[in-house]
Amino acid sequence: MAAWDLSVAVEELGPQAPPLKISVTSDLHIGGVILKVVEKSQIQRDWSDHALWWEQKQQWLLKPSWTLDKCGIHADARLCLTSQHKPLRLRLPSGITLRLRACFSSPVFRSVTGICRLLNIRHPEELSLLWPVEEKKRKKEKDVEEELYDITRAPLPSSSIPKLANGMPAFFAEAAETEAVYKMLAVSQPAPAPETIAKLYRTTNITEKAHINSRWLDSSRSLLQQGVKEHDKLLLRFKYYTFHDIAPQADAVRVTQLYEQARWAVLLEETECTEEEMMVFAALQYHIGKVSLTEQFVASCPAMEDLDSALQCLEVKMEGESSADDMLETMTAPELHDYLKIFRPKRLTLKGYKQYWFTFKETTISYFKSKEESCKEPIQQMSLKGCEVAPDVSVAGQKFCIRLLIPGPEGMNEVYLRCEHEQQYSRWMAACRLASKGKTLADSSFSSEVQSIQSFLAMQKTTPSTNTAQTDESINTHSLVSPRYQKKYKPKQLTPRILEAYQNVAQLSLTDAVQRFLQIWQALPDFGLAYIVVRFKGCRKDEVLGIANNRLIRIDLSVGDVVKTWRYNTMRQWNVNWDIKQVAIEFDGNVNIAFSCVTADCKIVHEYIGGYIFMSTRGREQSNTLNEELFYKLTGGHEAL
């Protein structure tokens, strides 16, 4: 077989060095090529992390036994021998930037797993990497060099669970400075100055929010394939909003970073919330900031974890061993009956709120003129499966309303239910939330849902506080609320309101306060929605697709109203026509939708849907092993096949 020359650039020789020419035959394997290049370079070092990168094809040659012929490499190929792990600047949700070594040759999904293993973050499948938004430089501002924490000396993460020392990975426990870095990751950062918040990039409308989602990296391709170079800056963020198996003992970094992402989503108005909710968020931030100076997350202790899991198993057993009376009660499905008021903004028949007798059975609400007429035909029946539920509450104003958007053939019908008091509201709100997911009142989560709604309402109650608390000057109110409320109120007006809300949370421990913050954030109507501007087949105007952890939402771009909701559990199949870049989805009942994406690649939508379906397959017992192959099958598209 004829020999021919192959030129290979060697990264170690420097960018200006000419490529090395080596004589090869077509049946020489990739491992043999690397061996020849290393010998010719005459550099003594550990080459085990190096591999060949094929520049024209933008691909790695990672199979050392494959021959040049099998790879399709000819004399015109430009190859480069380069390290697979390179330094990367990584900005975490808390705003800290780390310099660390990441894998540039594996798919991003695996690279993120490696990064999370190094930082001791469990369930890396919930996170991913995205490009930062390019910030427009103002002329007056000098380029301020951000603070970098260098942990490139950390050993490359192996597939095994990291060794822990003092509750942190062994690498961080080696020196005082690395230990300080780990503590910064595991403890929430103090409230930023209002000027810092003002300078940060803030989305002002739904289209800008949609543009951010076009920046996610493709999970099934490597960093180098996507144009990421060493020392580039990327953001590490929670992408899939289904947080599996959160255990504060083992998840100090994960919970802290999740809290920081939630806090910034609220402060930068990425997630909408009411004024009362904002005051509760501000009070919790103030409390967490105070408590985190003295208290820390419970460090991981194996004996405690065993005890926890044993208690959880016991809890499940106890739930199973219920009495005969309880069983009779659950066999006859529970119902709700009460007088409520209803208001339908788009219907002229009901002007203002009108009182009726309501019954809630399984996932359906019916209403009648009076209690006596409840044995006759109802005035109307509304199935709440797949509906959108949002609170419209003011505890101070004694207003307890539930806003329902119910899917109908012409789109979403808007209905408001008004409750008399918070006990009634808590029960009906919990029932509506469960029904929207297709669950009935017999579901075991009903009572915990009622309790969480009641505890949230309790936080919004103002308690007459002492004058000393009212004049607490250490509170920097404008760092705790979003810019909208900074403009609306002066610090003098905000301080008493935040301190009133603070009275209700002051007794919470750090772990409880952070978990309460996350609970309230997860209960917000547009929590975890990723927006993409799309154009539906047969339509002439752009619309917005909202992707959540359990549903897809069609939103009118001009008004921002929800037009239609589709649940994943009614989805039959979805596919992408990669040639015309169109996503087609089929739901139960012969419902078919198709759309092309305007602000992002359709691969991003495909990956979101596949990713959420993958997240729903995770069970409690297999929490440590990830089915990576299934993730690529669901999210990878035509390349995965």
Side-chain angles (χ1 to χ4, degrees):
M1 194 171 272
W4 43 278
D5 281 351
L6 180 66
S7 58
V8 180
V10 180
E11 193 182 49
E12 305 300 318
L13 296 172
Q16 305 304 320
L20 301 178
K21 279 204 163 25
I22 55 165
S23 177
V24 296
T25 54
S26 294
D27 64 345
L28 180 67
H29 49 72
I30 298 296
V33 173
I34 293 175
L35 207 61
K36 283 194 167 196
V37 174
V38 167
E39 280 170 4
K40 193 158 187 181
S41 75
Q42 296 180 331
I43 298 174
Q44 296 294 316
R45 60 156 298 157
D46 176 6
W47 293 92
S48 60
D49 189 44
H50 283 62
L52 288 173
W53 167 253
W54 187 357
E55 209 175 297
Q56 295 107 313
K57 286 278 178 88
Q58 290 286 293
Q59 71 183 50
W60 287 91
L61 305 172
L62 296 174
K63 295 192 171 150
S65 59
W66 280 29
T67 62
L68 293 173
D69 194 32
K70 191 171 181 178
C71 293
I73 289 172
H74 305 295
D76 61 346
R78 291 198 302 277
L79 302 183
C80 177
L81 184 65
T82 178
S83 57
Q84 296 178 61
H85 288 81
K86 300 173 187 290
L88 189 67
R89 286 184 300 149
L90 194 69
R91 192 172 172 86
L92 301 184
S94 58
I96 292 170
T97 306
L98 300 175
R99 184 186 274 121
L100 46 72
R101 281 192 299 164
C103 185
F104 275 62
S105 60
S106 302
V108 163
F109 183 79
R110 207 175 298 158
S111 300
V112 171
T113 305
I115 290 167
C116 289
R117 205 172 278 132
L118 169 66
L119 303 179
N120 196 21
I121 298 175
R122 297 188 317 135
H123 298 295
E125 69 276 12
E126 295 166 357
L127 297 102
S128 194
L129 299 171
L130 72 161
W131 290 103
V133 177
E134 287 112 21
E135 290 164 25
K136 295 184 180 80
K137 290 268 186 293
R138 299 194 183 110
K139 282 182 183 175
K140 288 179 188 173
E141 280 181 29
K142 291 195 170 87
D143 206 4
V144 182
E145 190 59 42
E146 66 176 348
E147 196 162 357
L148 269 179
Y149 298 95
D150 197 325
I151 54 167
T152 46
R153 289 181 300 101
L156 297 180
S158 60
S159 56
S160 60
I161 296 165
K163 282 197 182 84
L164 296 183
N166 301 336
M168 64 183 84
F171 161 74
F172 286 103
E174 282 170 10
E177 53 267 31
T178 48
E179 196 170 316
V181 171
Y182 188 80
K183 281 189 175 143
M184 290 174 81
L185 304 179
V187 177
S188 72
Q189 296 305 293
E195 307 81 70
T196 314
I197 299 177
K199 279 181 196 168
L200 289 170
Y201 175 76
R202 203 165 97 246
T203 52
T204 52
N205 55 42
I206 207 162
T207 315
E208 285 181 9
K209 287 179 184 176
H211 275 288
I212 284 182
N213 288 310
S214 65
R215 299 174 171 276
W216 288 107
L217 292 181
D218 187 332
S219 295
S220 46
R221 292 166 66 220
S222 70
L223 290 172
L224 206 54
Q225 280 176 306
Q226 299 182 67
V228 181
K229 297 179 180 66
E230 65 179 88
H231 301 298
D232 271 358
K233 185 178 177 181
L234 293 176
L235 310 179
L236 179 72
R237 292 288 181 272
F238 287 87
K239 179 179 183 181
Y240 299 104
Y241 287 76
T242 49
F243 313 119
H244 182 60
D245 180 29
I246 286 184
Q249 297 98 326
D251 283 332
V253 178
R254 180 180 174 214
V255 172
T256 300
Q257 296 304 321
L258 182 55
Y259 160 69
E260 291 285 348
Q261 186 162 326
R263 171 163 82 148
W264 284 109
V266 171
L267 284 178
L268 298 177
E269 295 169 9
E270 285 164 25
T271 313
E272 292 292 322
C273 66
T274 65
E275 194 169 307
E276 287 189 325
E277 285 163 344
M278 180 58 82
M279 295 310 145
V280 175
F281 280 133
L284 281 165
Q285 285 179 75
Y286 175 58
H287 180 57
I288 290 164
K290 266 178 115 169
V291 183
S292 57
L293 297 173
T294 53
E295 213 182 300
Q296 290 199 350
F297 265 100
V298 192
S300 176
C301 162
M304 284 302 289
E305 281 178 38
D306 292 346
L307 181 64
D308 267 9
S309 53
L311 283 168
Q312 265 166 335
C313 293
L314 186 65
E315 217 172 278
V316 172
K317 272 190 185 169
M318 297 287 277
E319 275 176 21
E321 296 164 7
S322 51
S323 66
D325 294 347
D326 290 349
M327 283 178 74
L328 266 172
E329 207 174 288
T330 47
M331 280 163 70
T332 56
E335 299 172 7
L336 288 178
H337 311 275
D338 232 329
Y339 276 109
L340 301 177
K341 289 178 178 168
I342 186 171
F343 168 57
R344 315 192 67 146
K346 287 179 184 170
R347 293 243 177 135
L348 297 170
T349 48
L350 288 175
K351 291 178 181 171
Y353 282 97
K354 215 169 174 190
Q355 185 164 292
Y356 290 94
W357 176 257
F358 280 79
T359 64
F360 200 124
K361 282 185 188 175
E362 294 186 340
T363 58
T364 306
I365 283 185
S366 315
Y367 62 93
F368 309 83
K369 263 192 172 172
S370 65
K371 186 178 180 178
E372 293 69 41
E373 296 202 3
S374 58
C375 49
K376 298 180 184 173
E377 277 291 299
I379 296 170
Q380 196 191 2
Q381 262 190 339
M382 299 177 282
S383 170
L384 299 192
K385 266 189 186 175
C387 77
E388 295 291 311
V389 185
D392 182 13
V393 174
S394 164
V395 179
Q398 286 296 296
K399 174 188 173 193
F400 301 103
C401 293
I402 301 167
R403 179 175 179 250
L404 300 171
L405 286 170
I406 301 167
E410 292 85 42
M412 303 295 268
N413 299 317
E414 192 174 20
V415 176
Y416 283 84
L417 300 180
R418 187 162 196 155
C419 302
E420 282 301 307
H421 45 76
E422 56 188 81
Q423 280 75 20
Q424 189 186 51
Y425 167 79
S426 306
R427 290 198 304 275
W428 284 81
M429 183 64 172
C432 292
R433 277 188 187 162
L434 289 181
S436 73
K437 299 171 190 166
K439 294 177 180 176
T440 68
L441 297 172
D443 194 85
S444 59
S445 62
F446 176 65
S447 55
S448 63
E449 188 74 51
V450 173
Q451 277 176 337
S452 74
I453 293 168
Q454 284 178 338
S455 68
F456 178 51
L457 292 175
M459 276 191 197
Q460 294 186 35
K461 281 183 192 157
T462 53
T463 48
S465 52
T466 56
N467 291 337
T468 50
Q470 295 289 342
T471 55
D472 185 343
E473 294 304 322
S474 67
I475 186 166
N476 188 351
T477 50
H478 277 179
S479 299
L480 302 171
V481 295
S482 64
R484 182 191 306 172
Y485 299 107
Q486 291 176 22
K487 284 181 193 140
K488 193 172 175 184
Y489 298 109
K490 294 187 172 112
K492 272 183 198 167
Q493 296 166 297
L494 282 172
T495 304
R497 291 190 63 187
I498 292 173
L499 286 170
E500 271 172 6
Y502 171 64
Q503 302 294 317
N504 297 318
V505 299
Q507 307 309 315
L508 295 175
S509 70
L510 176 61
T511 311
D512 289 345
V514 169
Q515 286 185 319
R516 190 63 58 87
F517 190 100
L518 294 175
Q519 273 172 356
I520 299 168
W521 176 56
Q522 287 177 33
L524 294 175
D526 59 350
F527 155 76
L529 278 179
Y531 299 105
I532 313 278
V533 177
V534 298
R535 181 160 301 186
F536 281 89
K537 194 176 177 183
C539 290
R540 290 189 170 179
K541 59 174 188 167
D542 290 347
E543 291 176 77
V544 174
L545 184 76
I547 307 170
N549 59 4
N550 54 3
R551 67 203 190 280
L552 296 175
I553 305 168
R554 184 175 182 172
I555 300 166
D556 187 316
L557 181 57
S558 51
V559 198
D561 285 351
V562 174
V563 179
K564 197 92 181 147
T565 299
W566 302 279
R567 297 256 157 198
Y568 295 149
N569 55 13
T570 64
M571 192 190 284
R572 289 237 170 132
Q573 62 167 349
W574 85 99
N575 54 58
V576 181
N577 182 331
W578 298 104
D579 298 325
I580 60 169
K581 302 273 186 191
Q582 189 180 65
V583 183
I585 309 175
E586 185 190 332
F587 296 94
D588 289 346
N590 289 331
V591 176
N592 293 294
I593 61 168
F595 54 84
S596 53
C597 302
V598 179
T599 53
D601 194 278
C602 61
K603 171 70 170 68
I604 288 175
V605 174
H606 171 60
E607 195 172 299
Y608 256 121
I609 296 171
Y612 274 128
I613 287 167
F614 172 78
M615 301 296 149
S616 68
T617 65
R618 300 178 297 176
R620 188 175 161 73
E621 61 289 338
Q622 56 188 39
S623 54
N624 286 333
T625 51
L626 265 185
N627 188 342
E628 207 176 309
E629 196 182 331
L630 177 64
F631 182 85
Y632 294 135
K633 268 186 184 167
L634 287 168
T635 63
H638 59 322
E639 291 162 354
L641 311 171

